[in-house]
């Protein structure tokens, strides 16, 4: 998600003072190395049981590397994951561009909702017309709500992801007709997973213009507007992820967590402030969108609960990833020369930013019922 060189070149291009660059270096140095960046007793391998009057036609994802299924393979960026050991547990060790050892939260959610086993990347040239019917991901590792974020990371901006969504709808209409296409969109679950890169990559730069509350309010406004845009295109069940506890990411612990690699309070506090305002604004938005559901998905507290008591969820290691030392390796630093842990099913993180497949399974298990309730059964 976060790339030191990208930040350096950005500063050079914009002719920012070396003093400014050095001023941000302690936080940025490690964070920007990365690009942007079951529980045996209670997890279920079966799709959740929806009532007979509920069906999900497709899952459609927007956002960053948590739901990038391989779109970054097809753009010019250093933020790729299409090489070993990424994908080592995916269909016999195939690196697909997913930022994981196996499935992502998008794959796991698609399967849990009974849509399909794997959610494909929209830019994958091998994509077939039939694949479009049950959904795709437009996400790009390194992107964010702030338009500056994808410029730094050379990722696909959310505005371009929205354009790709419009193109996707056009393809559906050509293939199955306008009415059937609109029915698919209306009966789909749309995921919006962003803000991590904004808070970790771009906020340190934007601090020359914004304090944290002002920047967070700007991000929420952009998230609000993005949801409005996909609603205009026919989306009626929209799930917007909050920011995760980014201060507890292994890379952030390594760079800013001191000798004991503790969670970094400043980053977590910014995430919590963003989440509080986002939840309030999404509730307002939901009340103004007829025949629609807009769900706030808590990406923060479930992950934090796992980090604070991993054994409860069948995990053991939460302060480092499985790849390499697990403390800083991510994207190109996690490569085919990197060793991997003995048992990645015991690790919450795969690399120093992204969840392992097992971590994603545990997380989805924790949020799934509330998500389904919010989108289908009640207004909470």
């Amino acid at each position: 998600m976060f790339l030191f060189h990208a930040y350096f070149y950005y500063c050079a291009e914009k002719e920012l003072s070396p003093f400014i660059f050095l001023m941000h270096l302690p936080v940025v140095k490690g964070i920007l190395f990365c690009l942007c960046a079951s529980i045996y007793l209670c997890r279920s391998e079966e799709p959740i049981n929806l009532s007979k009057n509920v069906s999900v036609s497709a899952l459609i994802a927007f956002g960053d590397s948590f739901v990038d299924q391989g779109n970054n393979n097809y753009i010019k960026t250093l933020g790729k994951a299409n090489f070993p050991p990424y994908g080592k547990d995916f269909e016999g060790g195939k690196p697909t561009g997913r930022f994981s050892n196996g499935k992502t939260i998008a794959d796991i959610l698609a399967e849990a909702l009974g849509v399909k086993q794997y959610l494909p990347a929209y830019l994958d040239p091998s994509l077939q017309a039939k694949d479009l019917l049950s959904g795709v991901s437009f996400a790009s590792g390194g992107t964010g709500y702030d338009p500056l974020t994808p410029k730094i990371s050379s990722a696909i901006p959310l505005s371009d992801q929205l354009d790709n969504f419009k193109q996707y709808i056009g393809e559906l209409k050509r293939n199955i007709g306008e009415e059937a296409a609109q029915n698919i969109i209306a009966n789909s679950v749309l995921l919006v997973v962003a803000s991590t890169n904004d808070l970790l990559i771009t906020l340190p730069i934007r601090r020359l213009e914004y304090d944290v509350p002002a920047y967070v309010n700007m991000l929420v406004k952009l998230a609000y507007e993005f949801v409005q845009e996909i609603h205009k295109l026919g989306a009626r069940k929209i799930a917007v992820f909050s920011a995760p506890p980014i201060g507890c990411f292994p890379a952030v612990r390594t760079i800013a967590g001191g000798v004991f690699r503790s969670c970094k309070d400043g980053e977590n506090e910014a995430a919590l402030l963003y989440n509080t305002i986002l939840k309030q604004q999404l509730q307002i938005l939901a009340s103004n969108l007829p025949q629609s559901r807009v769900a706030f998905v808590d990406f923060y507290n479930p992950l934090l609960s796992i980090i604070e008591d991993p054994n409860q969820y069948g995990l053991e290691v939460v302060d480092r990833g499985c790849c390499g030392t697990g403390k800083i390796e991510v994207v190109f630093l996690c490569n085919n020369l990197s060793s991997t842990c003995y048992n990645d099913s015991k690790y919450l993180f795969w690399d120093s930013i992204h969840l392992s497949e097992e971590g994603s399974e545990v997380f989805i298990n924790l949020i799934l019922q509330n998500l389904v309730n919010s989108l289908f059964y009640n207004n909470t």
Side-chain angles (χ1 to χ4, degrees):
M1 282 187 178
F2 323 104
L3 191 61
F4 176 80
H5 288 128
Y7 182 82
F8 178 84
Y9 289 131
Y10 173 80
C11 290
E13 181 183 352
K14 298 300 182 182
E15 298 181 349
L16 295 181
S17 162
F19 172 75
I20 292 175
F21 178 78
L22 291 172
M23 182 173 62
H24 294 299
L25 191 56
V27 175
V28 174
K29 188 175 180 180
I31 294 173
L32 296 182
F33 268 126
C34 25
L35 189 60
C36 342
S38 99
I39 79 176
Y40 294 106
L41 296 178
C42 65
R43 101 177 190 207
S44 172
E45 297 292 344
E46 299 298 324
I48 191 167
N49 292 321
L50 301 174
S51 65
K52 291 182 179 180
N53 63 334
V54 170
S55 65
V56 180
S57 298
L59 185 71
I60 298 168
F62 304 88
D64 58 28
S65 56
F66 286 112
V67 288
D68 182 349
Q69 309 296 92
N71 286 308
N72 274 17
N73 296 351
Y74 310 104
I75 64 173
K76 188 176 181 181
T77 178
L78 291 175
K80 298 179 188 290
N82 57 346
F83 46 82
Y86 286 100
K88 84 175 191 66
D89 300 313
F90 190 92
E91 293 189 332
K94 181 181 179 182
T96 61
R98 288 168 170 82
F99 293 78
S100 173
N101 58 303
K103 296 179 181 179
T104 67
I105 56 177
D107 294 311
I108 295 164
L109 187 56
E111 188 170 15
L113 293 174
V115 176
K116 55 184 170 185
Q117 190 174 11
Y118 302 112
L119 191 70
Y122 179 65
L123 297 184
D124 185 345
S126 67
L127 204 64
Q128 303 294 312
K130 61 182 177 60
D131 299 322
L132 300 177
L133 300 177
S134 50
V136 295
S137 171
F138 302 103
S140 173
T143 204
Y145 291 114
D146 186 340
L148 179 57
T149 303
K151 290 181 180 178
I152 296 171
S153 300
S154 298
I156 303 172
L158 282 172
S159 58
D160 288 0
Q161 294 183 32
L162 188 65
D163 289 340
N164 286 339
F165 182 44
K166 294 174 183 177
Q167 180 177 307
Y168 163 80
I169 294 172
E171 292 177 60
L172 284 181
K173 290 179 178 179
R174 287 191 294 273
N175 292 337
I176 61 174
E178 183 166 352
E179 183 177 355
Q182 290 297 345
N183 284 337
I184 285 179
I185 302 302
N187 291 310
S188 296
V189 171
L190 282 79
L191 301 183
V192 184
V193 185
S195 74
T196 297
N197 295 307
D198 298 312
L199 295 172
L200 278 177
I201 298 178
T202 316
L203 177 56
I205 304 171
R206 291 288 201 185
R207 287 299 296 271
L208 300 173
E209 310 168 61
Y210 300 93
D211 60 14
V212 172
Y215 186 70
V216 160
N217 275 290
M218 183 187 78
L219 291 184
V220 171
K221 180 176 182 293
L222 292 169
Y224 188 102
E225 292 171 351
F226 186 81
V227 172
Q228 285 182 311
E229 289 299 319
I230 58 176
H231 178 267
K232 288 177 185 176
L233 293 171
R236 295 296 177 264
K237 297 176 182 65
I238 305 167
V240 184
F241 275 54
S242 77
I246 53 182
C248 295
F249 286 176
V252 179
R253 288 176 181 260
T254 299
I255 299 308
V259 176
F260 298 104
R261 298 183 64 251
S262 303
C263 293
K264 187 69 167 56
D265 291 340
E267 277 75 3
N268 281 350
E269 288 166 2
L272 281 171
L273 179 60
Y274 168 79
N275 295 345
T276 299
I277 300 172
L278 177 69
K279 186 175 184 179
Q280 293 170 347
Q281 291 301 307
L282 289 179
Q283 289 172 342
I284 294 171
L285 179 59
S287 67
N288 293 325
L289 295 180
Q291 306 298 316
S292 301
R293 296 292 181 92
V294 180
F296 170 88
V297 180
D298 187 354
F299 202 7
Y300 188 101
N301 290 297
L303 279 188
L304 193 62
S305 70
I306 299 168
I307 290 167
E308 291 177 342
D309 189 7
N311 292 333
Q312 179 183 349
Y313 303 99
L315 298 173
E316 295 176 1
V317 183
V318 295
D319 65 344
R320 64 186 188 276
C322 176
C323 185
T325 66
K327 296 178 180 179
I328 194 64
E329 290 87 348
V330 66
V331 192
F332 58 83
L333 295 178
C334 174
N335 54 55
N336 57 10
L337 300 178
S338 303
S339 61
T340 57
C341 63
Y342 176 71
N343 185 359
D344 54 40
S345 70
K346 297 298 182 181
Y347 281 66
L348 174 61
F349 293 95
W350 162 246
D351 59 26
S352 65
I353 294 293
H354 303 99
L355 300 178
S356 66
E357 178 176 317
E358 187 71 15
S360 295
E361 289 268 11
V362 173
F363 169 73
I364 291 298
N365 183 76
L366 289 176
I367 61 97
L368 184 58
Q369 193 60 61
N370 283 340
L371 176 61
V372 170
N373 288 344
S374 296
L375 292 178
F376 298 100
Y377 299 135
N378 58 49
N379 291 314
T380 60

